[in-house]
Amino acid sequence: MLVTVRITSALIDPALLDLPWSTPLEEWPADHLVALPQGISRHVVRFVKLAGTVYAVKETGERVAEREYDLLRALERIGFPSVEAVAIVADRHAPDGEPLDPVLITRHLQFSLPYRALFSHTLRPETMARLLDALAALIVRMHITGFFWGDCSLSNTLFRRDAGAFAAYLVDAETGALHAKLSNGQRGEDLEIARVNIFGEALDLQAAGLLHESIDPEVVSEEVVQRYERLWHEITYEQEFQREDRHHVESRIRRLNEMGFDVAEVAMSLADRGAFKVRPKVVDAGYHTRRLLRLTGLDAEENQARRLLNDLDTYRAESDLSDEQQAAHRWLTEVFEPVVRAVPGHLRRKLEPTELFVQVIEHRWRLSEEAGRDVGLALAVQSFLADVLVHRPDEQAVLGVEVTQAVP
Ligand SMILES: Nc1ncnc2c1ncn2[C@@H]1O[C@H](COP(=O)(O)OP(=O)(O)OP(=O)(O)O)[C@@H](O)[C@H]1O
Ligand SMILES: [Mg+2]
C-alpha cells in the first residue's frame, strides 16, 4: 500500500517525510526518538531529531491541531514567548488502512526546562519564587496582548534561565484565543484556571516529596495570582498629578521600561482642580531584549539583555566611543564573542551563550570582590570554565541527556 500523508508547513524539511507516519506515535521505534524531559500531557508527545534540530511531535485531533498551529503562528508574529509551530501532518493511515490521528510539530525549545525537571530534586523556596514570578509575568504579558490562555499550568509552561531568574514560555496553546483586548472578566477567568491547575500540580509535587516542607500547595497557587495582580496594577494603574509634576509621568515610564515593558502611548485626561489623570498604554514586555537585538543582533532573555546592555554601556563609557552602534559592534567582537569562543567544545552544551556570558561577568564581580581589585575578564573566564562550568549538568536538548540537578 502506498503511504500518503498531508503536510502543512511554512518551512518544509524533507526529512519530515522520512518519519514513520503510518505507525501510531506511541509505537515509534526508539531510533527516531530523543529522550528529553517533558511535562504531563493528555496527548502523546515525543521528541525527534532531524538534521540537528529537535522537534516535539504531538498526536492530536485535526481541528485542534489546526487551531493550535494558527495560534502559535500568530503568537510568533507578535514576538510572544511561545514554542514555534513547524507543521501539521494529517491523513495518516496504518498499513491496514486504519486512520491515525494528525500530529502537530513544534520546534523543541532549546535549553528549556519543564518544571518536572526543575523539581527533580526539591527546589529551594527562593528558586520557587523566581519560577512563580516568571509564570506571573508570562500571564501579564499574555493578557496585555489580548491572549486568553484557558489552560495555564506549570505543565503548559517551559522555563529558561535568565540571569539568575527564569523566563517562561507558553508550550500548549490548544485552549487559547487571541482577542483585540481582554475584559476584566476574561482575565479573572484565566487566573482562576491557573490557580486551580497550579494547586493540583503543587499537590502532586508534595505527594511525590518534591515540594520543600516550608511550601504549602495552596500558597503556591495563590502566589502566582498575587504576583500577577501586583504586576498588572503596576503597569496599568491610573495616576493623578498636578500640571507642574509632569516629570512624574516620565519617571513612571522609565520605571516601566526598567521592568522590561514598552510604553506605546500615555492616555491623559483632565481631572478636578486642574489635575491630570494619566494611564500608560503598555504594549509589550521585552524592552531590553529589543534594544540589545537592535544594537548587537543578539537575541537574549529580558534580564540577560539588561546585564549585557549594562556591560556594553560600561564598555562604551570606558572606551570613549560616542557612537552607540559602533561601540556595540566593538563590544560584540572584542568582548562578548571571545568569551563565548573560549568555551571548549565539550562544555558548550552546558549553558547557552548569553547565559554563559552573564554568569562569567558575575563570576568576575565575585572574584574581584574577594580580591579587593578588578581581576579582569580573561582571568574570570578561565576560572569560570575550570571551577564552575565543568561541574554543571548539560542543559541543551541532545540525545539522552538527563536534565536532573539542573538548579543550583
Ligand atoms: N516545542 C516543545 N519544546 C519543548 N517541550 C515541549 C514542546 N512541545 C511539547 N513539549 C513538552 O511536552 C509536554 C506536553 O505538551 P502539550 O502540553 O502540548 O500536550 P497536551 O497533551 O496538549 O497537554 P494537555 O494535557 O495540557 O492538553 C509539555 O509539557 C512539554 O514539556
Ligand atoms: Mg499541555
Side-chain angles (χ1 to χ4, degrees):
M1 182 191 146
L2 184 69
V3 179
T4 59
V5 288
R6 181 162 52 87
I7 300 187
T8 312
S9 171
L11 176 138
I12 202 136
D13 182 347
L16 283 178
L17 287 167
D18 299 335
L19 290 170
W21 296 120
S22 54
T23 307
L25 191 52
E26 190 125 52
E27 295 162 21
W28 277 19
D31 55 343
H32 285 289
L33 302 178
V34 184
L36 286 167
Q38 69 185 70
I40 298 161
S41 62
R42 274 167 295 180
H43 301 103
V44 180
V45 176
R46 295 281 183 272
F47 301 113
V48 295
K49 190 172 186 177
L50 292 174
T53 306
V54 179
Y55 298 97
V57 182
K58 166 159 92 169
E59 217 161 43
T60 177
E62 176 146 14
R63 291 255 318 281
V64 182
E66 276 166 12
R67 232 176 91 81
E68 192 165 5
Y69 179 84
D70 289 343
L71 261 177
L72 289 176
R73 299 294 306 241
L75 290 175
E76 191 186 336
R77 274 196 295 278
I78 59 174
F80 190 81
S82 61
V83 297
E84 264 172 63
V86 174
I88 296 175
V89 181
D91 290 350
R92 297 171 59 209
H93 294 276
D96 62 3
E98 193 62 26
L100 296 176
D101 277 338
V103 303
L104 171 72
I105 305 178
T106 54
R107 198 181 299 277
H108 181 268
L109 186 65
Q110 286 264 17
F111 294 98
S112 66
L113 305 160
Y115 84 103
R116 282 259 153 194
L118 289 168
F119 279 95
S120 56
H121 62 139
T122 310
L123 281 190
R124 286 182 296 138
E126 306 86 78
T127 313
M128 179 82 184
R130 286 181 282 152
L131 215 62
L132 301 182
D133 267 338
L135 183 53
L138 181 76
I139 313 173
V140 164
R141 193 168 172 185
M142 189 173 276
H143 288 175
I144 294 171
T145 54
F147 184 74
F148 176 84
W149 195 345
D151 196 14
C152 167
S153 67
L154 289 167
S155 259
N156 287 340
T157 311
L158 290 170
F159 297 93
R160 295 178 82 182
R161 286 186 189 287
D162 181 15
F166 291 102
Y169 282 71
L170 168 143
V171 65
D172 185 346
E174 195 184 307
T175 47
L178 203 49
H179 302 275
K181 191 175 187 292
L182 291 186
S183 67
N184 287 343
Q186 284 170 314
R187 291 194 301 110
E189 189 187 335
D190 218 10
L191 281 179
E192 186 52 25
I193 297 170
R195 208 178 54 76
V196 172
N197 281 343
I198 296 165
F199 179 50
E201 290 170 321
L203 279 177
D204 283 349
L205 287 170
Q206 191 182 48
L210 293 172
L211 208 58
H212 196 277
E213 70 265 11
S214 69
I215 300 176
D216 174 353
E218 194 155 359
V219 174
V220 173
S221 51
E222 273 314 316
E223 284 250 310
V224 175
V225 177
Q226 282 168 12
R227 281 161 202 264
Y228 169 97
E229 298 287 9
R230 276 201 297 273
L231 191 53
W232 185 266
H233 174 77
E234 179 71 28
I235 64 172
T236 55
Y237 78 92
E238 192 173 57
Q239 200 175 8
E240 195 174 310
F241 69 98
Q242 298 298 323
R243 189 180 287 264
E244 59 275 17
D245 293 332
R246 60 188 304 159
H247 58 277
H248 288 332
V249 181
E250 184 162 348
S251 317
R252 171 102 181 266
I253 293 175
R254 277 174 188 250
R255 200 166 63 241
L256 286 170
N257 287 164
E258 198 36 53
M259 288 161 64
F261 292 99
D262 253 339
V263 179
E265 57 194 51
V266 180
M268 283 208 215
S269 58
L270 216 51
D272 295 341
R273 291 161 276 105
F276 283 92
K277 280 186 178 168
V278 170
R279 192 192 291 276
K281 180 165 186 267
V282 170
V283 280
D284 196 9
Y287 177 80
H288 299 96
T289 297
R290 276 190 287 277
R291 183 173 166 229
L292 184 74
L293 188 67
R294 184 162 40 77
L295 284 172
T296 64
L298 290 175
D299 196 2
E301 299 294 348
E302 186 60 18
N303 291 314
Q304 292 170 342
R306 197 194 315 263
R307 304 281 172 90
L308 263 54
L309 286 165
N310 279 342
D311 200 62
L312 175 98
D313 288 339
T314 313
Y315 174 83
R316 182 174 154 206
E318 281 168 356
S319 54
D320 241 359
L321 280 169
S322 56
D323 184 67
E324 192 179 42
Q325 201 70 54
Q326 201 188 348
H329 179 71
R330 287 246 313 250
W331 172 86
L332 187 68
T333 52
E334 290 174 19
V335 183
F336 182 84
E337 286 171 354
V339 169
V340 173
R341 269 202 306 273
V343 182
H346 68 285
L347 297 181
R348 293 220 169 120
R349 291 195 213 126
K350 291 185 180 281
L351 279 181
E352 49 105 19
T354 35
E355 182 64 25
L356 176 105
F357 187 84
V358 167
Q359 296 201 11
V360 165
I361 48 183
E362 256 166 35
H363 189 68
R364 172 184 183 176
W365 179 80
R366 257 195 306 274
L367 292 181
S368 304
E369 282 279 298
E370 279 165 25
R373 63 178 169 84
D374 180 19
V375 297
L377 191 57
L379 190 141
V381 172
Q382 289 320 316
S383 154
F384 183 79
L385 296 180
D387 305 332
V388 182
L389 197 62
V390 282
H391 306 299
R392 290 286 180 80
D394 282 2
E395 289 187 354
Q396 192 182 24
V398 283
L399 242 167
V401 167
E402 277 294 310
V403 186
T404 52
Q405 309 281 304
V407 172

